[in-house]
Amino acid sequence: MKKIICSFAFLGFLTVAQAQEATVADSTSHWKSKGEVSLLFNQSNFSNWTAGGENNLSGNFLLNFGLEYAKDDWTWDNKLMASYGLVKTKNASFEKKTDDRLELNSILGKKATGKWSYSAFLNFRTQITKGYIYGKDDNGAEIRTENTDFLSPGYLTFGPGMLYKKDANLKINIAPATSKLTFVDDFYTSQNGYVDGSYFGVDANKSMRYEFGFYGSVYYKLNIMANVSAENILNLYSNYLEETKNVDVDYSLNIVMKINRYLSTNLSFQAIYDDNAFRGLQTRQVFGVGVNYGF
């Protein structure tokens, strides 16, 4: 069922992309779209290497698509980001993920004054495939335990606020009355699944957690030098209902160093602090040479 849903979502995305491509020639269109697909590759191979090492091969897929609408005092900015990566090492029993992310951001704005607009935003985040915790059995063989999946967890955050938009490269949204829903499959919170009593903040035998609080987001993109750009995305959330001082932080940095139209060196870094998921700082870094296609 999940594969069917993903397939329909992908087909819907292609339909939107094609529709937008068809309207590019129409100078009266209020829609603008821009997207890029990247494939990153990394390989290490050793033979009689006395310093040690293990043969490995990894690949990452990245999708970044933006769709914008502007007419009179209204704007509607949408951004879809997806990434997925695997690594295979010679002596490992399983392929392991190096990246897994699916995120949609949408902000509707109605001009208030100057560069400020009244806004309504929506943010959705989840992962694409199952996630595992790896370990060893009594014989030293590698084993894995399923820990996460598509929509387990899934986060839906939305609310009214104020949007400051200097230009396409600098946007700040402040939403002091934001609802946040955390979805999980109750398998992980039941006796047959996750038995710790709390799974990403969702209580035992439940499948959803509701929070109400303050949300702030910043998008800032700059050109460091010729053919080198850095995209910064920062999301902050504080729950009014409990532990207000515990601010959830999600920061992403994407640096692209273009070699030519189709080749680039890409660096992606993400840092997350969310004590409902893990009481500590989570970090992720992906670096490699990419093959890019813009549309």
Side-chain angles (χ1 to χ4, degrees):
M1 183 63 183
K2 293 176 182 177
K3 292 182 179 179
I4 295 174
I5 294 173
C6 292
S7 298
F8 275 112
F10 181 70
L11 290 174
F13 165 74
L14 290 180
T15 301
V16 171
Q18 290 172 353
Q20 293 308 309
E21 186 177 4
T23 59
V24 168
D26 183 1
S27 60
T28 63
S29 174
H30 301 288
W31 292 93
K32 292 193 303 181
S33 65
K34 184 178 181 181
E36 186 172 62
V37 173
S38 299
L39 294 173
L40 305 182
F41 300 97
N42 191 6
Q43 180 189 17
S44 297
N45 188 275
F46 304 89
S47 178
N48 302 319
W49 192 251
T50 57
E54 187 174 2
N55 296 351
N56 66 81
L57 176 66
S58 65
N60 286 73
F61 166 83
L62 298 94
L63 169 67
N64 197 325
F65 177 73
L67 180 63
E68 299 181 359
Y69 174 86
K71 183 180 181 182
D72 300 328
D73 291 340
W74 290 93
T75 61
W76 187 20
D77 297 345
N78 301 277
K79 192 174 185 65
L80 174 66
M81 296 173 289
S83 56
Y84 188 77
L86 291 172
V87 60
K88 175 63 177 177
T89 55
K90 182 179 180 180
N91 297 318
S93 302
F94 308 101
E95 294 179 342
K96 297 179 181 178
K97 291 193 292 186
T98 57
D99 200 1
D100 190 353
R101 180 186 185 192
L102 178 62
E103 181 170 352
L104 172 66
N105 288 286
S106 183
I107 302 180
L108 179 67
K110 173 68 168 66
K111 187 172 181 180
T113 180
K115 298 184 183 298
W116 286 92
S117 300
Y118 305 108
S119 68
F121 89 97
L122 179 147
N123 172 268
F124 170 73
R125 293 185 293 121
T126 188
Q127 62 189 55
I128 301 170
T129 63
K130 296 181 185 294
Y132 300 91
I133 295 175
Y134 295 89
K136 300 284 187 179
D137 63 15
D138 294 337
N139 298 318
E142 187 175 31
I143 59 174
R144 64 182 185 180
T145 304
E146 182 181 327
N147 186 57
T148 55
D149 201 353
F150 178 69
L151 290 182
S152 288
Y155 302 97
L156 179 63
T157 310
F158 57 91
M162 294 295 294
L163 171 67
Y164 174 82
K165 184 176 180 180
K166 180 180 179 181
D167 50 40
N169 294 325
L170 178 58
K171 307 172 190 177
I172 302 173
N173 189 58
I174 300 172
T178 294
S179 293
K180 180 180 178 181
L181 303 176
T182 303
F183 302 97
V184 301
D185 190 316
D186 57 11
F187 164 80
Y188 296 103
T189 61
S190 68
Q191 293 298 317
N192 295 323
Y194 196 88
V195 296
D196 195 21
S198 178
Y199 176 77
F200 291 91
V202 181
D203 292 335
N205 301 312
K206 302 292 184 179
S207 59
M208 189 183 75
R209 170 186 170 90
Y210 176 77
E211 300 177 49
F212 181 75
F214 173 88
Y215 180 88
S217 65
V218 179
Y219 175 86
Y220 179 50
K221 183 177 181 180
L222 72 157
N223 293 318
I224 301 175
M225 59 182 68
N227 297 322
V228 180
S229 64
E231 182 183 58
N232 299 268
I233 303 172
L234 175 65
N235 297 318
L236 303 172
Y237 183 78
S238 175
N239 181 17
Y240 296 147
L241 304 181
E242 58 182 69
E243 299 181 338
T244 306
K245 294 181 180 180
N246 288 0
V247 179
D248 296 343
V249 180
D250 186 342
Y251 170 72
S252 297
L253 170 64
N254 301 304
I255 297 178
V256 178
M257 295 165 276
K258 291 187 176 180
I259 300 172
N260 55 38
R261 182 179 178 182
Y262 297 108
L263 295 176
S264 67
T265 300
N266 296 35
L267 170 64
S268 296
F269 173 80
Q270 185 177 15
I272 295 177
Y273 178 81
D274 181 352
D275 60 350
N276 288 319
F278 175 75
R279 291 191 176 275
L281 184 65
Q282 305 174 62
T283 62
R284 175 185 63 86
Q285 178 183 309
V286 179
F287 179 78
V289 175
V291 179
N292 310 304
Y293 175 72
F295 57 94

